[in-house]
């Protein structure tokens, strides 16, 4: 009986969370603004009361009346240097969490039965550890259930899925502690009644992907741009069958150039949504159902688009970076956190009619496209396979991966001030990662230890840079501007 009541309670919490995040209507705006203000003030007070770091940082600030811009900013380096004091639970310790994540058996398990943990990809330098409480994870899933696709009804919108669960294929890396995996690692047990998950790897050979997708017949497909390109080529070649009840595709973690989006949509006959998020705030946006932009879940986060001096830029103008405030994760408060993304918020309402702000473009995360030759077959190589290895090295400040030839790569690594790096250890970490993905005898790489990595003329450091060029006669690159391939 106790188990039944617990299950019913969990189901009710998910249903209420979904209900609270249904797409807003004009009559909801005043109530949403009030709720956001209350959530913001609660976050500030909770951080002050429970985090030694924020108690010091907020000295002299009236947390009941201050503006967001009155608060100090937070960098990734500063966060990682003060992580134990930023946590609001005094039992959380960085060293313990790092040991927990070193054991693959803990993937999908809650740390201390209360916290979901992951590491960022490190695509902008040093990886970061992110800890979320269970309510934060619930909020992330509720946002996707409520806004991730078009709803046929607002009252009990997913009721039909209790009797006919959706089939959801995810093509990312193998399960791990990185953000795009964490979202699915912690999928609420009670919510699994709504859908069936199929986990696939971007490094599965195309014939394996084809066979599994043909058998599973997904309603939804989520993956990196590179993995969606792969299955598009297989569909165009006639090897992959278009899933008969496919409803939607979703791109995550990689840029989605417009030519690729159109090609995927033409092949599969459904819209591809494009989600802009990060481990620090996985419920930041949901993909637009009409355009290839992302709608900001603005009652769950502040996203300040600013120039190089931290001053706000008007909507329609590309910023130099963003300042993120996560309003729903109390375990590790993220308040005015600097992220090196060049974001443009649309100056006009979205064509889809949504009342939510539209993230029209994201630059600064664009990466050169890597590729490998596997037994004569050209495959895209998301550079996340390398990033997955780097979270083991906590003394790393900056990195850059270069493709220098066919299957040949170089890691340039710079240590944190006062620290040293071991080229041999970095080599071991990367070798372990590529071996896990079945590429041990394919990829060859060198390690260069440097003092720092200089930015490009744009002021950005390109973390992935293809010095060799695109593969010969690669259809995946047709229609892309030269800046996207070199």
């Amino acid at each position: 009986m106790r188990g039944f009541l617990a299950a019913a309670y969990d189901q009710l919490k998910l249903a209420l969370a979904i209900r609270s995040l249904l797409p807003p209507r004009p009559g909801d705006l005043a109530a949403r603004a009030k709720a956001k203000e209350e959530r913001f003030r609660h976050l500030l007070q909770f951080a002050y009361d429970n985090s030694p770091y924020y108690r010091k940082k907020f000295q002299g600030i009236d947390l009941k009346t201050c503006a967001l811009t009155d608060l100090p900013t937070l960098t990734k380096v500063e966060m990682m240097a003060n992580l134990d004091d930023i946590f609001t639970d005094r039992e959380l310790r960085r060293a313990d969490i790092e040991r927990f994540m070193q054991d693959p058996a803990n993937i999908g398990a809650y740390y201390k039965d209360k916290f979901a943990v992951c590491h960022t990809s490190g695509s902008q330098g040093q990886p970061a550890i992110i800890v979320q409480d269970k309510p934060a994870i619930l909020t992330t899933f509720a946002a996707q259930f409520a806004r991730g696709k078009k709803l046929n009804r607002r009252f009990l919108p997913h009721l039909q899925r209790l009797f006919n669960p959706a089939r959801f294929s995810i093509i990312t890396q193998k399960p791990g502690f990185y953000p795009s995996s964490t979202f699915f690692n912690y999928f609420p047990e009670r919510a699994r009644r709504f859908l069936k998950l199929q986990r696939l790897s971007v490094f599965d050979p195309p014939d394996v992907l084809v066979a599994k997708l043909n058998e599973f017949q997904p309603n939804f497909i989520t993956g990196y741009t590179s993995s969606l390109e792969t299955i598009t080529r297989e569909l165009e070649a006639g090897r992959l069958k278009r899933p008969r009840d496919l409803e939607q595709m979703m791109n995550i973690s990689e840029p989605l150039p417009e030519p690729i989006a159109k090609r995927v949509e033409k092949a599969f006959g459904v819209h591809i949504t494009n989600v802009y998020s990060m481990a620090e705030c996985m419920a930041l946006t949901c993909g637009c159902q009409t355009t290839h932009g992302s709608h900001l879940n603005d009652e769950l986060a502040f996203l300040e688009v600013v120039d190089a001096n931290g001053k706000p830029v008007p909507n329609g103008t590309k910023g130099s970076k963003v300042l993120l405030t996560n309003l729903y994760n109390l375990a590790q408060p993220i308040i005015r956190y600097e992220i090196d993304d060049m974001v443009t918020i649309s100056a006009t309402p979205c064509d889809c009619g949504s009342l939510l702000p539209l993230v029209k473009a994201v630059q600064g995360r664009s990466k050169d496209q890597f590729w490998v030759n596997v037994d004569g077959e050209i495959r895209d190589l998301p550079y996340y396979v390398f990033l997955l290895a780097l979270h083991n090295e906590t003394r790393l400040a900056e990195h850059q991966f270069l493709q220098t030839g066919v299957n040949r790569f170089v890691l340039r690594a710079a240590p944190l001030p006062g620290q040293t790096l071991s080229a041999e250890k970095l080599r071991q970490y990367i070798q372990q990662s590529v071996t896990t993905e079945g590429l041990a005898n394919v990829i060859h790489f060198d390690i260069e230890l440097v003092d720092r990595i200089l930015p490009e003329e744009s002021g950005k450091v390109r973390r992935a840079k293809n010095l060799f060029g695109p593969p010969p006669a690669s259809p995946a690159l047709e229609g892309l501007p030269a800046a996207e391939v070199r």
Side-chain angles (χ1 to χ4, degrees), residues 32-86:
R32 290 178 74 249
K34 180 181 179 181
K36 180 177 182 178
E37 175 67 13
E38 292 174 351
R39 188 177 284 120
F40 174 52
R41 298 301 167 187
H42 178 66
L43 169 69
L44 297 185
Q45 193 61 53
F46 191 88
Y48 180 86
D49 291 341
N50 296 280
S51 163
Y53 173 85
Y54 281 110
R55 189 176 305 122
K56 180 179 179 180
K57 283 290 185 177
F58 289 168
Q59 286 294 329
I61 299 175
D62 186 344
L63 301 181
K64 294 181 179 179
T65 62
C66 67
L68 177 65
T69 52
D70 294 332
L71 302 171
T73 58
L74 175 68
T75 66
K76 182 186 293 186
V77 171
E78 188 175 15
M79 181 178 73
M80 289 302 293
N82 296 276
L83 195 57
D84 287 352
D85 283 343
I86 286 177

Side-chain angles (χ1 to χ4, degrees), residues 272-312:
I272 177 172
T273 60
N274 190 24
V275 176
Y276 170 54
S277 65
M278 62 283 295
E280 293 88 348
C281 188
M282 290 196 291
L284 182 62
T285 75
C286 291
C288 178
Q289 303 297 315
T290 301
T291 72
H292 297 129
S294 306
H295 283 293
L296 179 66
N297 294 321
D298 61 347
E299 72 272 68
L300 300 179
F302 286 107
L303 188 69
E304 303 172 72
V305 181
V306 299
D307 62 20
N309 297 316
K311 302 298 183 183

Side-chain angles (χ1 to χ4, degrees), residues 383-402:
Y383 103 117
Y384 298 102
V385 70
F386 297 129
L387 289 179
L388 184 61
L390 293 187
H391 84 275
N392 294 292
E393 182 50 77
T394 58
R395 293 169 293 183
L396 182 70
E398 290 188 296
H399 72 270
Q400 183 180 61
F401 285 102
L402 310 173

Side-chain angles (χ1 to χ4, degrees), residues 283-353:
L284 182 62
T285 75
C286 291
C288 178
Q289 303 297 315
T290 301
T291 72
H292 297 129
S294 306
H295 283 293
L296 179 66
N297 294 321
D298 61 347
E299 72 272 68
L300 300 179
F302 286 107
L303 188 69
E304 303 172 72
V305 181
V306 299
D307 62 20
N309 297 316
K311 302 298 183 183
V313 302
N315 289 346
T317 301
K318 179 176 67 177
S320 296
K321 58 184 175 181
V322 295
L323 302 176
L324 169 72
T325 299
N326 182 325
L327 296 175
Y328 63 88
N329 181 24
L330 298 178
Q332 182 179 340
I334 303 288
I335 301 173
R336 305 200 78 206
Y337 178 78
E338 294 187 12
I339 299 173
D340 197 19
D341 286 346
M342 296 181 288
V343 171
T344 303
I345 302 291
S346 176
T348 57
C350 183
D351 293 341
C352 75

Side-chain angles (χ1 to χ4, degrees), residues 87 129 179 258 270 283 362 475:
F87 291 140
I129 292 171
E258 194 66 18
V270 297
V362 180

